[in-house]
Every structure is written in structure tokens, then in C-alpha cells.
Amino acid sequence: MNLIIGVVVIGIIIAGIAFFMASKSDSKNTTKEELQSTAKRESQSRTQEELQNTAKRESQSRIQGESQGTTQKESQRELQSAAKKELQNISIKEEASADMQAVKQKEQLYHYMTQELQNLVCVYNKEEWSQLKKLGEISQELYKEKNDIIEGLSTITGRMVKEYFTCVDFREEEGKLVGYVNDIEKLKQVFLQFMMPFYPYYYKELSEGGLRYTALLHPNTLRLFQQLTGKKFRPGYRNRYSTGVRAFEWDKDRYKVYGKDGRLLCDAVFDSDGIKEGYGQKKYLDKQHPDWDIVEEGTWKEGVFQSGILRYKYKKSVQ
């Protein structure tokens, strides 16, 4: 009996051990499967995450590349724009420089002409015209540019300056260009175009009365000066003798000229040949003047012209 019971107990123990071992084996198998499943899930998760990261990096790379491309294009556009502006600025500066040079040359021509006219008036008033052989100097730069300046002037003023330069030969002396008269008679007629039309008839009275030559410049001459300098010049500036008497007045083409004592010398309309309408008289009756003939059309009393027309006709023809 005891033996049987012992066998049964041993059987039960063996069965328990077998069950335990089986359970343990199942547990191991289950754990292994779970581990494999977990590993697989983690692997898939990592793979998906890596794919997502890779896609994200590629997207960022594309965005960055596009951004860089856009930035490069913008930089190129900015550089092109800056280069264009720089070229425009250079062009503007060059044009401004050329304009400044042109202005400078015009002002130099103005100073040259005013100086020469002043000298010619002095020679004419002293009646030394026939002795005139040499004029003033001109800069090399102005000599080269004078024709271009003349072309830019109006028809009347451009012609005046052009005719003046045809009467002058410039020769280089000691590094300077000096003017020499090549046609004294033509130069006289050209010179008189710069002056008021009554000037050749009353230059003695006007000069002896202390009248400044600037008051005797023709309105066309003042227009020339304005074109060269941009400044406005008033006709008849300081039009008074040293005695305070007004030397002349005018209305269109009609001029009244007075002596320094207030005596009326003329009231006439002038043209290129002299008085064509009205009357005039001279303090000095130049019947012996070598260059002029007096054409008397009017009333005289004791050798003094009273009324009518007194013309002074230039004897010598000008080619």
C-alpha cells in the first residue's frame, strides 16, 4: 500500500515537472515570438521613420536648393541692375562733364569777344583803324572748339561771329595763337555790326562824352552774349554821358542821339547804309573823311544841318 502511494506521488511529481517544463518551453517560445514581433515592429517603425526623415531632408534640400536658386537669381538681377545703374551714372557724369566743358568753352568765347570788341572800339574812336594789324590771343582749346560753338548759335549771332573769324588769321607765337588782320576793310564792317547803327556817325561825340562802349553794343550782340553765358544783358546799359545826360534812346529802328550838352544830334531810322528816314547832324562835318561821302538831303543853315536826311555813304566796297 505504501508502495503504491509512493509510486503515485512520484508520478504526480514527474507530471508536475513535465508540465512545468512544457509551460516554461511555451513561455520561452512565446517570449521569443513576442521579441521577434517587437523587433520587427521596431524595425518597421525605424524604417518608416528613416523614410520620413529622408523624405523630409530631401524636401528641405529641395526647398533650400530652390531658395538658393531664387537667391542666386535675385543676386544676379541685383548685380545686373546695379551694373545698369552704374553705367547710367557714368553716362550721366560723362554728359554732365561734356556739358560743363561746352559751357566753359562758350564762356571763354564770350570773354574773348568782349575783350576784342573793347579793343576795337578804342582803336576806332582814336581813328587808328588803318594802322590795325594785330589782334588779341586765343587759347588752343577755344580755337579748336569755336566752329562747333558757332554752329550752335542762332542764325544772326552765329553769322556775326563767323564773319569776324574770317577776317582773322591765327599764328602760333611762343606757344600762343595770336590774331592778325587779313582784311582790314571787311573787319571794319563786321565790327560795326556789333555796334549800335548810329555809332559810326557819332563815335566822337559819344567817346568824348565818356560813354562806355557797353552801352553802344547792338541788341544782337547782347543776344550773342546771352547765348554764350545764359545771362541776360540789358540794351543801353549805363546809357549816360559823364555829365549825366542820356546819350540816346530808341523805339524799334528809330534812334535819337544827343550830345553831352543835351543837343539832339539825330532822330532817324537806320539801315545797313545809314540813315534812311529822319534827320541827323554831326558836330564834325567830315567832308574830308577818306572813307565816307556825305549825302545831303535836307535843310542847312550856316553850314549846320537843320532837318531832312543826312546820309553817310561808305566809299570803299567790301568783298
Side-chain angles (χ1 to χ4, degrees):
M1 185 68 177
N2 290 333
L3 181 59
I4 294 171
I5 293 171
V7 172
V8 172
V9 171
I10 293 171
I12 293 170
I13 293 170
I14 293 171
I17 293 170
F19 177 78
F20 174 76
M21 292 300 292
S23 176
K24 186 175 181 181
S25 177
D26 291 341
S27 175
K28 285 182 179 179
N29 290 338
T30 301
T31 302
K32 185 177 181 181
E33 289 176 359
E34 289 176 351
L35 290 173
Q36 288 176 344
S37 177
T38 300
K40 185 176 180 180
R41 285 195 302 273
E42 289 178 354
S43 176
Q44 289 176 344
S45 178
R46 283 196 300 273
T47 301
Q48 186 175 3
E49 185 177 354
E50 288 174 357
L51 289 172
Q52 290 176 346
N53 290 336
T54 301
K56 185 176 180 180
R57 285 194 299 272
E58 289 177 352
S59 176
Q60 290 176 343
S61 178
R62 281 197 302 273
I63 293 171
Q64 186 176 2
E66 291 173 356
S67 177
Q68 290 177 348
T70 301
T71 303
Q72 289 176 352
K73 289 180 181 178
E74 289 177 351
S75 297
Q76 289 177 352
R77 283 196 295 269
E78 289 176 357
L79 289 173
Q80 290 174 351
S81 177
K84 186 177 180 180
K85 287 180 179 178
E86 184 63 24
L87 289 173
Q88 289 175 343
N89 290 335
I90 291 173
S91 177
I92 291 171
K93 289 178 181 178
E94 289 177 347
E95 290 177 0
S97 178
D99 290 342
M100 288 296 293
Q101 185 67 15
V103 169
K104 181 180 177 182
Q105 295 301 327
K106 286 182 178 180
E107 289 181 348
Q108 285 187 4
L109 180 58
Y110 161 73
H111 290 300
Y112 171 80
M113 293 303 303
T114 53
Q115 183 63 46
E116 291 308 298
L117 287 175
Q118 184 175 6
N119 292 337
L120 292 176
V121 166
C122 183
V123 172
Y124 195 91
N125 290 347
K126 291 180 179 179
E127 298 183 347
E128 297 175 351
W129 194 268
S130 60
Q131 304 172 31
L132 181 63
K133 299 184 183 299
K134 190 175 180 180
L135 300 177
E137 301 170 359
I138 189 172
S139 69
Q140 296 274 2
E141 191 177 27
L142 179 57
Y143 181 76
K144 293 177 182 177
E145 300 294 332
K146 63 182 175 60
N147 290 335
D148 290 337
I149 298 173
I150 293 171
E151 290 299 320
L153 299 173
S154 65
T155 304
I156 295 176
T157 56
R159 187 189 68 244
M160 292 168 63
V161 180
K162 191 172 184 179
E163 288 180 349
Y164 168 83
F165 279 111
T166 60
C167 302
V168 186
D169 286 331
F170 289 98
R171 307 172 195 171
E172 188 167 351
E173 296 181 358
E174 299 180 355
K176 299 177 181 179
L177 287 176
V178 180
Y180 284 84
V181 180
N182 60 33
D183 190 333
I184 189 68
E185 295 303 325
K186 184 178 179 182
L187 179 61
K188 179 185 287 187
Q189 296 309 298
V190 171
F191 159 68
L192 292 177
Q193 291 181 34
F194 288 91
M195 309 303 292
M196 285 288 197
F198 55 79
Y199 171 73
Y201 309 103
Y202 302 106
Y203 65 92
K204 282 188 176 180
E205 289 90 342
L206 297 168
S207 62
E208 289 179 357
L211 195 70
R212 295 190 178 188
Y213 89 99
T214 51
L216 300 170
L217 296 175
H218 195 281
N220 285 336
T221 307
L222 301 180
R223 276 192 283 273
L224 167 65
F225 292 169
Q226 182 176 354
Q227 290 168 12
L228 294 176
T229 64
K231 301 176 183 178
K232 213 165 185 183
F233 295 83
R234 190 176 66 204
Y237 176 62
R238 293 191 177 180
N239 170 22
R240 290 187 181 277
Y241 292 113
S242 56
T243 58
V245 174
R246 182 182 293 274
F248 63 89
E249 56 189 36
W250 74 96
D251 180 15
K252 296 182 180 179
D253 294 330
R254 192 174 191 93
Y255 294 85
K256 291 182 179 180
V257 181
Y258 302 90
K260 61 182 179 180
D261 58 358
R263 179 171 51 92
L264 182 64
L265 300 177
C266 83
D267 180 0
V269 177
F270 290 80
D271 62 10
S272 58
D273 294 325
I275 297 173
K276 71 174 185 178
E277 178 184 330
Y279 69 92
Q281 58 179 319
K282 292 193 70 175
K283 181 178 179 181
Y284 305 94
L285 301 178
D286 298 334
K287 293 184 177 181
Q288 304 302 318
H289 196 287
D291 294 343
W292 299 88
D293 278 335
I294 298 177
V295 180
E296 302 172 3
E297 298 178 16
T299 303
W300 291 75
K301 184 177 180 181
E302 297 179 357
V304 178
F305 184 78
Q306 301 296 316
S307 64
I309 298 175
L310 179 60
R311 301 177 188 270
Y312 293 87
K313 184 178 179 182
Y314 195 63
K315 288 180 180 180
K316 299 179 181 180
S317 61
V318 179
Q319 301 297 326

